[in-house]
Every structure is written in structure tokens, then in C-alpha cells.
Amino acid sequence: MTPRQINRLLPSLTSPTLRAWQARCIETALQRLSDQQPHFLCQATPGAGKMLMAAVLTEELILNGSIDHVIYLGPTSAVVERARETFSQILGRPMQGRLGDVGIALTYQALSFRLEELKQLCRQGRVLLVWDESHHAAGATACAAKNTYTSSAATGANQWGLALLALERDVRFTLALSGTPWRTDGSCLPMLRYMAPSHEVATTSEQAVPTLPSADSDRLALIPDFTYTLRDAIQDDVCRTPQIYLIDNDDIRLVAEQQAQRETLYYQSIPALLRHPGVHYSALLRHPGPQQHLLDVSCQRLRQLQEKDPTAAGLVVASNISHAEDIADCLKQMGQTVCLITSQTEGAHAQLEAFRYGHTSWIVSVNMVSEGIDIPRLQVCCYLSHVRTEQYFRQVLGRIIRRRHAQDDACYFYALNESTLRHYAYRLFDDLPDEHAAIQLDPFSSTTLPAPNVSPATDSIGFNDLGTSGELPTIDMHGAPHSQGPMSECVSFSEGVREITLDLANDVAFSNAFLARLVSL
């Protein structure tokens, strides 16, 4: 398959200028796609420009006579609408699925309702299937029994994976796109190639199913056809360098009340506090102390950025809709302009578009802005979601790393110093250039922004806490020691010390009932 003789790295009045990685990926796909190898996976970091690459590759395939139509699948209506605009602009024809259109763009959810219609389209012409954020689909094959993220292997496909496999029989080529092409349940993605422990390439398509490894072996490894990492994107000035701030406190007082007895416990870190069975991370996120401090430092950072760029904006990821509404009200009380987008928001897409090109400072959401949304002016993220998976962590981080100009070289991510999130933050070291591999650990402070750097060195703080998988790098504070900075306690930013009061009676009753059930079994 030969690409057209056109250099998209050069400016043109009729076609967009591609980044070097996009041009390389398109050329690789044009060389590899064939009847013998009809599936192609592009693994590129969030914010790198996978959508434009996919649209231009589609145009090349149409112009060289390889395909007639394209079907695009995405996870949400907002992502699909953005894809429809991009593909229509590049291909010069609509993507509404009507007679004469070049193709159609749908959500995965809608695929099962249109499956027979789409299969008929594929039988009448040669079709490219682009499935974006491909980690949403689970294939029919389980990965290895050992899994970094779950205690057991997943079995079976989900509804979206089954629909993809049914459609795959009739399409000519497929293009999978993802910045995080794995599933937290351990299941494989459909149609893609995996490497078994014996180093023989396996596939999850129906033509060849891999031999599953034994329970003592490592999980199957996915084999991308093209990879563009965050390290590559930072070095190419495509993405901003993420600065991660983990908020903690070394003077926490917990008052537990149970059966008229009152006990005061003291903790020197949030990870230590969260080991208490009556303290839950999701509840801590909604506590006014930690939540307000995260919003304070995030707003303070955004104000600094807006001094140079008035259009700079921030994202708050909440745990649920009521939490998002509370956060939006809190930001408004702080004098911030806010756009609240949830699944219950009427005209959500129109509001997203208005925010994309407007001057509103903050967008607050739950899941609708966590992946696939292109809003380059987002530069600060306040993470108040209860979700703690590496995939979600990286997807959210991807919303703020898209670079706009030469001076736009950093973005800022704020979260509580929870053990699992810190583990994911340290794993980013593998994807960052060495000179940028730094995480900041910020003690609660109501007056100053966090400044000290934390790098892998000696452990002067003693954060070797439970709840993480694998051995964490130790950390060393540069600048003011953690215990000597201006600090208030965990739940209050007044000068006095307040206490968290918990009623543990329900938790204890549940535990006793659960143990009794185990004994009876």
C-alpha cells in the first residue's frame, strides 16, 4: 500500500500540518495494513493528537483506493461530536451516516443498536473502523491470572467488545487509538495482538486465540503497532511537563466515638490516617478541610498562570454529581467563574464548546471531561475523584498536558497524598525525561504555594505505607523539612486544631456480621 506523494510536515492551505510523530504513524500504518494484517493499534500519550492522525490516515486510505467509508466509535457523545467535526473537516464530507456521507461517528453505546445496519454498509463497501479510547472494549479472551491491578483474571467480553468483534468480520481494516491501552480488570482488548510468556505473538481475534499462561506466569503483553510516549511528547514540545503536587499533613487528630467511649488518635500523614478502618478516602475528599485546601492551592496556581495568559483554565474532577455541584458552589463563593458539566447537564456539548473558546476559569465535572476531550487552555487539575486506577489517573492528567505555544511548558496536578495515587505518580517517572522527573509533596498551608521538589532519594519522611503494589521509590524533601513548614492540621485551615469525629458503630456492626457469615460458611 503506497501513500500519496505529499509532505504534510510542510504548511499547506488545503491540509493541516502534521507533527513528526503523526506523519511517522501514518506512514507505518500505510505500510502495515493489509488483508493479512488488518488491525493497527496506535498507542500515543493523551494530548498528542491521535484524532487528527486518524482522520488524515483515513483520507490517505480513501485516496489510494483502499477503503470507501469510515466508521468512528468513541466513548461519549462529546468525544464523538469532536471526532465528527475533525473527520468531516479533513475528509471534506459529512460523517452523519446519511446517503452520500463518507461515514458515521457513534458512541460505543449506540453500536449495538446500529450493528445490523453497519454490517450491511460494510458488506456493500470497504470500511475502516476507527475505535477510539479502545480500552473501553473487553475481548473474549482473558489475560494472565496474575494482574498488577486486580487479584484475579477477568473472563469474557463486555457488550462493547462483543459488538466490535461482530462488526470486525465485515470491515476491511481497523484502527485502535488509546493513550492507556489496557483494562483494569485484566481482560484483553479485542482484535489486537498480545505477546505470550513464550514470546510468541498471540491475537485476540477469532482467527487465532492465544494459549493462556499458567497462574504463576506474567500477564500477556499487548503489542502496539506504533507507540508515542509522554517522554517523546515532552521532548518534542508536543505536551507540557506535568508537575504533580500531593497534599499531606503531619499533625492529624482523629476522635473516634463508639458506644459512648471517646478515643483520640494522632497521625503524621494522610496515608497513615487512611489505614484506620473508619476513615474512607471518598469521605475525606468531601471533608471541608482537605477539599478547601486543594481548591485554594489550585486557584492560586491558576491565578499565577492567568497573569501571563488570561485564557488559562482549570479542571476539577469530582466523585459524583452532588459533589460536583458542591465544588462548583464553593468555587463561585471564592470568586471564580465556573462551568459545571455532568451527565445531567442540558446542552452539555454546547457548554463544552463555549468553555473551550471562552474565558471561564474552571470546569467542574465527574467523568465527562476525563478522556478524549480537547481543551488546550486547561492547565491546572484538582483531583477530587474517588476513582483510584492508573488508567483513570493518566486519562485525567491527559486533559491538561496539551501544549499550545513555546512558553506553555508546564501543567499542574493537585491531589491528596493517598498511597495508590502516589504510586501512580511515581510510575510517571518512567515516562518523563530525567530532568523533569520530580513530584512535589506539599504540606497543608493556607498562605503559600507548594515549592519543594521531591526526587527519588532517601526516605526522610517515612512514607512506606500499605496499600500500594510494588516497591515505591523513597523520597527526600529539599528545602523546608515536612515537619517544619507552616502547617495547619488535616481538616482545618484556621490556626486552631480541629478534630475529625467519626461514629464507628455502623462499621463495627457490619464487620461483626460479615465475620459471622464467614464462620457459618
Side-chain angles (χ1 to χ4, degrees):
M1 188 180 303
T2 305
R4 289 188 303 143
Q5 297 301 315
I6 180 172
N7 187 353
R8 289 190 179 273
L9 297 177
L10 299 177
S12 170
L13 296 177
T14 59
S15 61
T17 301
L18 293 182
R19 295 173 174 138
W21 85 264
Q22 294 169 321
R24 293 196 305 270
C25 183
I26 290 170
E27 184 175 353
T28 302
L30 292 172
Q31 292 173 351
R32 291 191 182 180
L33 284 172
S34 65
D35 293 337
Q36 291 72 39
Q37 186 173 332
H39 309 304
F40 190 92
L41 167 62
C42 171
Q43 177 183 347
T45 184
K50 294 185 290 294
M51 188 84 74
L52 176 60
M53 183 281 299
V56 174
L57 173 59
T58 301
E59 182 188 29
E60 294 293 330
L61 291 171
I62 291 175
L63 291 172
N64 68 22
S66 298
I67 63 170
D68 305 305
H69 304 287
V70 58
I71 297 173
Y72 172 90
L73 299 175
T76 66
S77 297
V79 174
V80 167
E81 186 60 33
R82 189 67 177 170
R84 184 179 288 117
E85 295 171 359
T86 301
F87 275 74
S88 297
Q89 178 184 3
I90 298 300
L91 303 178
R93 294 164 62 188
M95 283 279 291
Q96 300 287 350
R98 298 171 300 203
L99 185 65
D101 286 4
V102 70
I104 188 171
L106 299 169
T107 63
Y108 285 101
Q109 187 69 29
L111 175 59
S112 59
F113 301 102
R114 306 284 297 272
L115 187 57
E116 292 305 317
E117 173 188 345
L118 295 175
K119 290 171 71 174
Q120 185 65 28
L121 171 67
C122 295
R123 291 166 186 156
Q124 294 175 349
R126 299 163 298 177
V127 173
L128 168 68
L129 172 64
V130 179
W131 48 305
D132 201 355
E133 306 295 350
S134 53
H135 49 269
H136 285 283
T141 305
C143 281
K146 275 193 173 182
N147 190 307
T148 306
Y149 306 101
T150 60
S151 59
S152 62
T155 56
N158 63 10
Q159 180 181 3
W160 294 356
L162 290 173
L164 278 170
L165 288 170
L167 187 60
E168 181 255 348
R169 299 189 187 101
D170 298 301
V171 301
R172 184 173 189 195
F173 300 132
T174 72
L175 171 63
L177 307 173
S178 181
T180 55
W182 68 83
R183 289 182 55 82
T184 56
D185 62 6
S187 58
C188 293
L189 308 185
M191 300 183 287
L192 303 180
R193 297 179 301 149
Y194 284 79
M195 181 75 75
S198 61
H199 302 295
E200 296 178 357
V201 175
T203 175
T204 57
S205 66
E206 292 186 344
Q207 287 78 5
V209 177
T211 301
L212 292 180
S214 65
D216 294 329
S217 61
D218 294 330
R219 65 184 299 185
L220 297 174
L222 180 62
I223 309 299
D225 297 282
F226 188 92
T227 302
Y228 188 67
T229 66
L230 179 57
R231 176 188 293 264
D232 297 330
I234 292 174
Q235 290 175 335
D236 292 345
D237 293 333
V238 171
C239 288
R240 301 166 178 143
T241 301
Q243 304 290 327
I244 300 177
Y245 290 81
L246 302 177
I247 308 299
D248 207 338
N249 186 270
D250 69 353
D251 185 16
I252 305 171
R253 181 179 300 178
L254 170 68
V255 177
E257 294 182 353
Q258 180 183 350
Q259 298 178 352
Q261 293 184 352
R262 183 182 177 96
E263 181 183 13
T264 302
L265 303 173
Y266 298 89
Y267 298 92
Q268 293 185 339
S269 71
I270 289 176
L273 172 68
L274 291 173
R275 294 188 196 121
H276 191 289
V279 180
H280 304 288
Y281 175 68
S282 57
L284 193 61
L285 289 173
R286 302 194 67 150
H287 194 284
Q291 175 179 296
Q292 185 62 52
H293 183 67
L294 280 168
L295 294 177
D296 283 342
V297 294
S298 299
C299 289
Q300 197 166 352
R301 175 65 70 184
L302 183 59
R303 283 193 293 270
Q304 287 187 346
L305 295 172
Q306 288 176 338
E307 290 177 0
K308 298 180 179 179
D309 181 2
T311 66
L315 164 67
V316 182
V317 183
S319 293
N320 53 41
I321 293 178
S322 64
H323 189 204
E325 292 170 345
D326 292 343
I327 290 171
D329 290 340
C330 184
L331 287 171
K332 291 175 182 177
Q333 293 174 9
M334 296 166 64
Q336 301 290 313
T337 54
V338 182
C339 175
L340 174 64
I341 300 289
T342 71
S343 59
Q344 296 181 358
T345 302
E346 293 186 7
H349 177 68
Q351 292 198 39
L352 276 174
E353 286 300 296
F355 181 86
R356 189 192 316 275
Y357 301 109
H359 288 78
T360 303
S361 291
W362 288 95
I363 186 168
V364 181
S365 186
V366 181
N367 292 321
M368 291 189 65
V369 193
S370 62
E371 62 177 342
I373 297 297
D374 174 19
I375 308 178
R377 69 189 191 94
L378 288 177
Q379 203 166 347
V380 178
C381 177
C382 181
Y383 192 83
L384 286 166
S385 172
H386 67 280
V387 180
R388 286 168 291 170
T389 66
E390 184 169 12
Q391 187 177 84
Y392 195 75
F393 176 85
R394 289 187 178 237
Q395 286 286 346
V396 171
L397 181 63
R399 297 316 98 211
I400 62 172
I401 64 176
R402 187 183 295 269
R403 195 163 180 172
R404 292 190 289 173
H405 48 74
Q407 291 72 39
D408 184 22
D409 59 351
C411 59
Y412 303 88
F413 186 95
Y414 293 90
L416 291 182
N417 182 33
E418 190 273 334
S419 302
T420 308
L421 295 180
R422 190 174 72 255
H423 177 61
Y424 299 152
Y426 276 117
R427 283 173 60 92
L428 279 173
F429 278 139
D430 297 335
D431 293 336
L432 295 179
D434 293 339
E435 64 271 21
H436 297 298
I439 296 174
Q440 339 303 330
L441 186 65
D442 177 33
F444 278 22
S445 169
S446 59
T447 57
T448 59
L449 275 171
N453 287 330
V454 181
S455 57
T458 59
D459 187 357
S460 62
I461 306 175
F463 281 163
N464 187 20
D465 47 280
L466 304 176
T468 58
S469 56
E471 183 178 353
L472 289 177
T474 54
I475 55 179
D476 179 34
M477 291 296 296
H478 299 284
H482 181 64
S483 60
Q484 296 179 9
M487 303 176 69
S488 60
E489 50 80 47
C490 174
V491 297
S492 171
F493 296 97
S494 62
E495 293 186 1
V497 175
R498 292 186 182 178
E499 302 169 340
I500 304 176
T501 301
L502 297 176
D503 183 358
L504 302 182
N506 291 333
D507 287 333
V508 173
F510 173 80
S511 299
N512 290 338
F514 181 71
L515 290 174
R517 176 61 177 164
L518 287 179
V519 171
S520 67
L521 292 175

